[in-house]
Each structure stands twice: as C-alpha cells, then as structure tokens.
Amino acid sequence: MSESKLAGQFFDAAIGLLHRVRDEEAGNIAAAGAAVADAVAAGGRLFAFGAGHSSLAAQDVVYRAGGLALMNLLAVPGTVGVDVMPATLGSALERVDGLAAAVLDSSPAKPGDVLVIISLSGRNALPVEMAMNARALGLKVIGVTSVAYTRETKSRHVSGTYLKDHCDIVLDSKIAVGDAELTAEGIEAPFAPASTVVTSALMQAVMACAAGDLAERGIEPPLLRSGNVDGGHEWNGRVMTEYRDRIFYRH
C-alpha cells in the first residue's frame, strides 16, 4: 500500500469523525458554548485541563489568537506534556488518587467558574476526581471524552465511574477505543490517532459558540488577535488589561 493512500485514508477517517461530532454533538456543543458565555458574562473565569496528549487540546484554547482571553490552563505538574522525564511518569500520575483535589485547592478556581476536562478514555483517577472535586466546589464541568471507553474498558477510579458521570455537559469525541484509525498489511499495530484533531475541533467549536452567544447578548467577546498582524499587540493589551483579574497565565 502506498504512503499517499494511507495518508488519504487518515484524512478520510478524520473528516468522517468531524462530520459525526458536528452532527451528533451539535446540541451539547451549543450548551457548552452557552455555559462558557454565562461564566464570562457573570464575571467568572474559564479553565481547561487535560493530561498527556489530552492536554494538547486544552493548551490549544489558552492564550490563542482568535480565542477567548479568559481561558486558563489548569495544569497538573508532570502531566501536561511528554517533556517530563521519563515520559511514562505522566501516565502514572493520571492514576494517582488525591492529586486532583490538591491541584484544585491551590488553584484560583471559584464557584461559578467553568472547567473543561479533556480525557479521551475518562477512566483514570485524575480526570474523574478532577470532575468530582470541581463540582463539589461549585464549578460547572464540561467533559470532552470518548463515551465508547465507558462501554469497552474498566474504570481505574475506586468508584468505578468515568469522567462522563461527573459532568454537567459531555461532548463525545466518537473516538474508537485504542485511538488508531488505520490498519495495514505488514504493520502489526493499528496506527494514525485522530483524537487530537477531533478534540481540538470540539474545543474550538465550543469557543465559537460562546463568542456568538456573547455577541447576541450585546457583550463583546474578550477575544485575542494574532500578535503577527498590525495592531494585534495593542488590541491584546487592551483586552488583557480589562480582564486582568480573570487571566492567570500572565501572573
């Protein structure tokens, strides 16, 4: 099989998944966008959390041109990226009980804020406890996960529950268990994961809905512009000054 054919098959698989989440998750995406807009309008703050490769979609909406300036990364040290040494430590930390509570207790998150928790499997202790503790603190929790994992895998949390069981709104990425879209003769393992493509698209769709929702309420969405276009730095400086008490990545 030619490499170009495999590339085309991956694009087809990713596009198919994007079509599915667009059509099947439209209501939940709109609800999540409204929740984000509610928090912005009410003076609340926005946070996104993900561990391992799920952190990529969380980082993608923080301090991002075209994104909401109020979105902050809720980081758990050692789980944000593969730069931790050894990289396998990040996966191990996702299974540690009590870590989420410690992070939330030391964070600036308050009742009424929104926390988006991204976890492909939703089965590890860290995202489950993050959702449980966030709701107990009065945060609105949006979960982005693959519901298929709840049907085909066993939870690693002592409760036997998954991320989706502790969220106000759930966005299903539709990613198959194993997160690999392709197989081919002569290649022993399935390959070509699409979760980052789909999850990032879901996150940006929610942010787009939130911006539109705010505009409909007569509120200018606190969006950032690219620093590589004329006037971008000045625009961003104004937004960051106006909302400085709700932006934590500058402190």
Side-chain angles (χ1 to χ4, degrees), residues 1-10 180-192:
M1 180 176 291
S2 70
E3 293 86 350
S4 61
K5 186 172 182 180
L6 287 173
Q9 288 182 353
F10 175 74
E181 294 300 317
L182 302 183
T183 57
E185 185 176 352
I187 301 177
E188 293 300 319
F191 57 101

PDB file of all heavy atoms in Angstrom, residues 1-10 180-192:
ATOM      1  N   MET A   1       0.842  -1.193   0.000  1.00  0.00           N
ATOM      2  CA  MET A   1       0.000   0.000   0.000  1.00  0.00           C
ATOM      3  C   MET A   1       0.880   1.248   0.000  1.00  0.00           C
ATOM      4  O   MET A   1       1.834   1.341   0.762  1.00  0.00           O
ATOM      5  CB  MET A   1      -0.902   0.011   1.243  1.00  0.00           C
ATOM      6  CG  MET A   1      -1.816   1.210   1.329  1.00  0.00           C
ATOM      7  SD  MET A   1      -2.936   1.119   2.744  1.00  0.00           S
ATOM      8  CE  MET A   1      -3.996  -0.224   2.223  1.00  0.00           C
ATOM      9  N   SER A   2       0.579   2.200  -0.878  1.00  0.00           N
ATOM     10  CA  SER A   2       1.407   3.397  -0.972  1.00  0.00           C
ATOM     11  C   SER A   2       1.178   4.304   0.226  1.00  0.00           C
ATOM     12  O   SER A   2       0.109   4.316   0.841  1.00  0.00           O
ATOM     13  CB  SER A   2       1.076   4.162  -2.259  1.00  0.00           C
ATOM     14  OG  SER A   2      -0.206   4.744  -2.171  1.00  0.00           O
ATOM     15  N   GLU A   3       2.233   5.076   0.545  1.00  0.00           N
ATOM     16  CA  GLU A   3       2.130   6.007   1.658  1.00  0.00           C
ATOM     17  C   GLU A   3       1.049   7.048   1.413  1.00  0.00           C
ATOM     18  O   GLU A   3       0.326   7.441   2.338  1.00  0.00           O
ATOM     19  CB  GLU A   3       3.486   6.695   1.877  1.00  0.00           C
ATOM     20  CG  GLU A   3       4.585   5.770   2.365  1.00  0.00           C
ATOM     21  CD  GLU A   3       5.301   5.050   1.230  1.00  0.00           C
ATOM     22  OE1 GLU A   3       4.821   5.115   0.081  1.00  0.00           O
ATOM     23  OE2 GLU A   3       6.337   4.419   1.500  1.00  0.00           O
ATOM     24  N   SER A   4       0.902   7.496   0.157  1.00  0.00           N
ATOM     25  CA  SER A   4      -0.101   8.518  -0.140  1.00  0.00           C
ATOM     26  C   SER A   4      -1.517   7.988   0.069  1.00  0.00           C
ATOM     27  O   SER A   4      -2.400   8.727   0.496  1.00  0.00           O
ATOM     28  CB  SER A   4       0.059   9.021  -1.580  1.00  0.00           C
ATOM     29  OG  SER A   4      -0.116   7.963  -2.515  1.00  0.00           O
ATOM     30  N   LYS A   5      -1.717   6.695  -0.185  1.00  0.00           N
ATOM     31  CA  LYS A   5      -3.036   6.116   0.027  1.00  0.00           C
ATOM     32  C   LYS A   5      -3.357   6.076   1.517  1.00  0.00           C
ATOM     33  O   LYS A   5      -4.485   6.353   1.929  1.00  0.00           O
ATOM     34  CB  LYS A   5      -3.101   4.715  -0.575  1.00  0.00           C
ATOM     35  CG  LYS A   5      -4.503   4.108  -0.504  1.00  0.00           C
ATOM     36  CD  LYS A   5      -4.585   2.801  -1.268  1.00  0.00           C
ATOM     37  CE  LYS A   5      -6.006   2.240  -1.226  1.00  0.00           C
ATOM     38  NZ  LYS A   5      -6.091   0.957  -1.975  1.00  0.00           N
ATOM     39  N   LEU A   6      -2.371   5.724   2.334  1.00  0.00           N
ATOM     40  CA  LEU A   6      -2.576   5.720   3.780  1.00  0.00           C
ATOM     41  C   LEU A   6      -2.864   7.119   4.294  1.00  0.00           C
ATOM     42  O   LEU A   6      -3.732   7.314   5.154  1.00  0.00           O
ATOM     43  CB  LEU A   6      -1.359   5.142   4.485  1.00  0.00           C
ATOM     44  CG  LEU A   6      -1.159   3.632   4.370  1.00  0.00           C
ATOM     45  CD1 LEU A   6       0.179   3.233   4.970  1.00  0.00           C
ATOM     46  CD2 LEU A   6      -2.308   2.893   5.057  1.00  0.00           C
ATOM     47  N   ALA A   7      -2.153   8.099   3.769  1.00  0.00           N
ATOM     48  CA  ALA A   7      -2.403   9.485   4.174  1.00  0.00           C
ATOM     49  C   ALA A   7      -3.837   9.878   3.836  1.00  0.00           C
ATOM     50  O   ALA A   7      -4.541  10.494   4.654  1.00  0.00           O
ATOM     51  CB  ALA A   7      -1.414  10.427   3.495  1.00  0.00           C
ATOM     52  N   GLY A   8      -4.271   9.517   2.642  1.00  0.00           N
ATOM     53  CA  GLY A   8      -5.641   9.830   2.243  1.00  0.00           C
ATOM     54  C   GLY A   8      -6.664   9.138   3.132  1.00  0.00           C
ATOM     55  O   GLY A   8      -7.702   9.725   3.475  1.00  0.00           O
ATOM     56  N   GLN A   9      -6.382   7.897   3.515  1.00  0.00           N
ATOM     57  CA  GLN A   9      -7.297   7.174   4.390  1.00  0.00           C
ATOM     58  C   GLN A   9      -7.394   7.840   5.761  1.00  0.00           C
ATOM     59  O   GLN A   9      -8.460   7.888   6.360  1.00  0.00           O
ATOM     60  CB  GLN A   9      -6.841   5.718   4.537  1.00  0.00           C
ATOM     61  CG  GLN A   9      -7.062   4.875   3.300  1.00  0.00           C
ATOM     62  CD  GLN A   9      -6.643   3.428   3.521  1.00  0.00           C
ATOM     63  OE1 GLN A   9      -6.063   3.084   4.550  1.00  0.00           O
ATOM     64  NE2 GLN A   9      -6.922   2.571   2.547  1.00  0.00           N
ATOM     65  N   PHE A  10      -6.254   8.348   6.249  1.00  0.00           N
ATOM     66  CA  PHE A  10      -6.311   9.047   7.536  1.00  0.00           C
ATOM     67  C   PHE A  10      -7.151  10.303   7.433  1.00  0.00           C
ATOM     68  O   PHE A  10      -7.997  10.567   8.295  1.00  0.00           O
ATOM     69  CB  PHE A  10      -4.913   9.409   8.042  1.00  0.00           C
ATOM     70  CG  PHE A  10      -4.968  10.235   9.299  1.00  0.00           C
ATOM     71  CD1 PHE A  10      -5.302   9.649  10.510  1.00  0.00           C
ATOM     72  CD2 PHE A  10      -4.742  11.600   9.254  1.00  0.00           C
ATOM     73  CE1 PHE A  10      -5.388  10.415  11.666  1.00  0.00           C
ATOM     74  CE2 PHE A  10      -4.829  12.373  10.402  1.00  0.00           C
ATOM     75  CZ  PHE A  10      -5.150  11.780  11.617  1.00  0.00           C
ATOM     76  N   ALA A 180      -6.683   4.707  17.178  1.00  0.00           N
ATOM     77  CA  ALA A 180      -5.871   4.473  15.983  1.00  0.00           C
ATOM     78  C   ALA A 180      -6.834   4.160  14.846  1.00  0.00           C
ATOM     79  O   ALA A 180      -7.630   3.230  14.939  1.00  0.00           O
ATOM     80  CB  ALA A 180      -4.904   3.327  16.198  1.00  0.00           C
ATOM     81  N   GLU A 181      -6.777   4.956  13.796  1.00  0.00           N
ATOM     82  CA  GLU A 181      -7.784   4.872  12.740  1.00  0.00           C
ATOM     83  C   GLU A 181      -7.450   3.889  11.628  1.00  0.00           C
ATOM     84  O   GLU A 181      -8.329   3.478  10.882  1.00  0.00           O
ATOM     85  CB  GLU A 181      -8.004   6.265  12.136  1.00  0.00           C
ATOM     86  CG  GLU A 181      -8.618   7.268  13.097  1.00  0.00           C
ATOM     87  CD  GLU A 181      -9.980   6.824  13.598  1.00  0.00           C
ATOM     88  OE1 GLU A 181     -10.789   6.338  12.769  1.00  0.00           O
ATOM     89  OE2 GLU A 181     -10.241   6.953  14.806  1.00  0.00           O
ATOM     90  N   LEU A 182      -6.172   3.506  11.513  1.00  0.00           N
ATOM     91  CA  LEU A 182      -5.779   2.710  10.357  1.00  0.00           C
ATOM     92  C   LEU A 182      -5.145   1.376  10.737  1.00  0.00           C
ATOM     93  O   LEU A 182      -4.527   1.248  11.793  1.00  0.00           O
ATOM     94  CB  LEU A 182      -4.781   3.491   9.493  1.00  0.00           C
ATOM     95  CG  LEU A 182      -5.230   4.849   8.956  1.00  0.00           C
ATOM     96  CD1 LEU A 182      -4.140   5.442   8.071  1.00  0.00           C
ATOM     97  CD2 LEU A 182      -6.553   4.750   8.202  1.00  0.00           C
ATOM     98  N   THR A 183      -5.307   0.424   9.861  1.00  0.00           N
ATOM     99  CA  THR A 183      -4.553  -0.834   9.902  1.00  0.00           C
ATOM    100  C   THR A 183      -4.072  -1.104   8.480  1.00  0.00           C
ATOM    101  O   THR A 183      -4.669  -0.626   7.507  1.00  0.00           O
ATOM    102  CB  THR A 183      -5.426  -2.013  10.377  1.00  0.00           C
ATOM    103  OG1 THR A 183      -6.562  -2.129   9.500  1.00  0.00           O
ATOM    104  CG2 THR A 183      -5.917  -1.791  11.803  1.00  0.00           C
ATOM    105  N   ALA A 184      -3.001  -1.856   8.364  1.00  0.00           N
ATOM    106  CA  ALA A 184      -2.479  -2.169   7.035  1.00  0.00           C
ATOM    107  C   ALA A 184      -1.667  -3.445   7.095  1.00  0.00           C
ATOM    108  O   ALA A 184      -1.042  -3.764   8.110  1.00  0.00           O
ATOM    109  CB  ALA A 184      -1.618  -1.020   6.507  1.00  0.00           C
ATOM    110  N   GLU A 185      -1.657  -4.157   5.996  1.00  0.00           N
ATOM    111  CA  GLU A 185      -0.887  -5.388   5.907  1.00  0.00           C
ATOM    112  C   GLU A 185       0.596  -5.086   6.102  1.00  0.00           C
ATOM    113  O   GLU A 185       1.132  -4.119   5.542  1.00  0.00           O
ATOM    114  CB  GLU A 185      -1.112  -6.033   4.539  1.00  0.00           C
ATOM    115  CG  GLU A 185      -0.451  -7.396   4.388  1.00  0.00           C
ATOM    116  CD  GLU A 185      -0.764  -8.046   3.052  1.00  0.00           C
ATOM    117  OE1 GLU A 185      -1.615  -7.509   2.318  1.00  0.00           O
ATOM    118  OE2 GLU A 185      -0.126  -9.073   2.752  1.00  0.00           O
ATOM    119  N   GLY A 186       1.239  -5.880   6.940  1.00  0.00           N
ATOM    120  CA  GLY A 186       2.647  -5.696   7.189  1.00  0.00           C
ATOM    121  C   GLY A 186       2.947  -4.764   8.349  1.00  0.00           C
ATOM    122  O   GLY A 186       4.103  -4.584   8.720  1.00  0.00           O
ATOM    123  N   ILE A 187       1.894  -4.166   8.916  1.00  0.00           N
ATOM    124  CA  ILE A 187       2.053  -3.297  10.090  1.00  0.00           C
ATOM    125  C   ILE A 187       1.283  -3.944  11.223  1.00  0.00           C
ATOM    126  O   ILE A 187       0.052  -4.087  11.146  1.00  0.00           O
ATOM    127  CB  ILE A 187       1.541  -1.869   9.809  1.00  0.00           C
ATOM    128  CG1 ILE A 187       2.303  -1.265   8.627  1.00  0.00           C
ATOM    129  CG2 ILE A 187       1.690  -0.986  11.049  1.00  0.00           C
ATOM    130  CD1 ILE A 187       1.811   0.120   8.216  1.00  0.00           C
ATOM    131  N   GLU A 188       1.990  -4.379  12.247  1.00  0.00           N
ATOM    132  CA  GLU A 188       1.389  -5.221  13.274  1.00  0.00           C
ATOM    133  C   GLU A 188       0.388  -4.485  14.167  1.00  0.00           C
ATOM    134  O   GLU A 188      -0.588  -5.074  14.627  1.00  0.00           O
ATOM    135  CB  GLU A 188       2.490  -5.837  14.146  1.00  0.00           C
ATOM    136  CG  GLU A 188       3.382  -6.832  13.414  1.00  0.00           C
ATOM    137  CD  GLU A 188       2.579  -8.013  12.865  1.00  0.00           C
ATOM    138  OE1 GLU A 188       1.689  -8.499  13.590  1.00  0.00           O
ATOM    139  OE2 GLU A 188       2.843  -8.431  11.728  1.00  0.00           O
ATOM    140  N   ALA A 189       0.616  -3.215  14.453  1.00  0.00           N
ATOM    141  CA  ALA A 189      -0.257  -2.466  15.368  1.00  0.00           C
ATOM    142  C   ALA A 189      -1.102  -1.468  14.588  1.00  0.00           C
ATOM    143  O   ALA A 189      -0.675  -0.946  13.549  1.00  0.00           O
ATOM    144  CB  ALA A 189       0.585  -1.723  16.412  1.00  0.00           C
ATOM    145  N   PRO A 190      -2.323  -1.198  15.054  1.00  0.00           N
ATOM    146  CA  PRO A 190      -3.102  -0.114  14.447  1.00  0.00           C
ATOM    147  C   PRO A 190      -2.389   1.212  14.668  1.00  0.00           C
ATOM    148  O   PRO A 190      -1.639   1.373  15.637  1.00  0.00           O
ATOM    149  CB  PRO A 190      -4.442  -0.185  15.187  1.00  0.00           C
ATOM    150  CG  PRO A 190      -4.142  -0.892  16.460  1.00  0.00           C
ATOM    151  CD  PRO A 190      -3.026  -1.838  16.177  1.00  0.00           C
ATOM    152  N   PHE A 191      -2.625   2.183  13.790  1.00  0.00           N
ATOM    153  CA  PHE A 191      -1.871   3.433  13.856  1.00  0.00           C
ATOM    154  C   PHE A 191      -2.722   4.601  13.366  1.00  0.00           C
ATOM    155  O   PHE A 191      -3.868   4.426  12.959  1.00  0.00           O
ATOM    156  CB  PHE A 191      -0.580   3.320  13.033  1.00  0.00           C
ATOM    157  CG  PHE A 191      -0.787   2.947  11.582  1.00  0.00           C
ATOM    158  CD1 PHE A 191      -0.742   3.911  10.589  1.00  0.00           C
ATOM    159  CD2 PHE A 191      -1.027   1.625  11.215  1.00  0.00           C
ATOM    160  CE1 PHE A 191      -0.938   3.576   9.255  1.00  0.00           C
ATOM    161  CE2 PHE A 191      -1.222   1.269   9.883  1.00  0.00           C
ATOM    162  CZ  PHE A 191      -1.172   2.254   8.897  1.00  0.00           C
ATOM    163  N   ALA A 192      -2.169   5.805  13.429  1.00  0.00           N
ATOM    164  CA  ALA A 192      -2.789   7.054  12.973  1.00  0.00           C
ATOM    165  C   ALA A 192      -3.926   7.497  13.901  1.00  0.00           C
ATOM    166  O   ALA A 192      -5.099   7.413  13.560  1.00  0.00           O
ATOM    167  CB  ALA A 192      -3.285   6.919  11.533  1.00  0.00           C
TER     168      ALA A 192
END
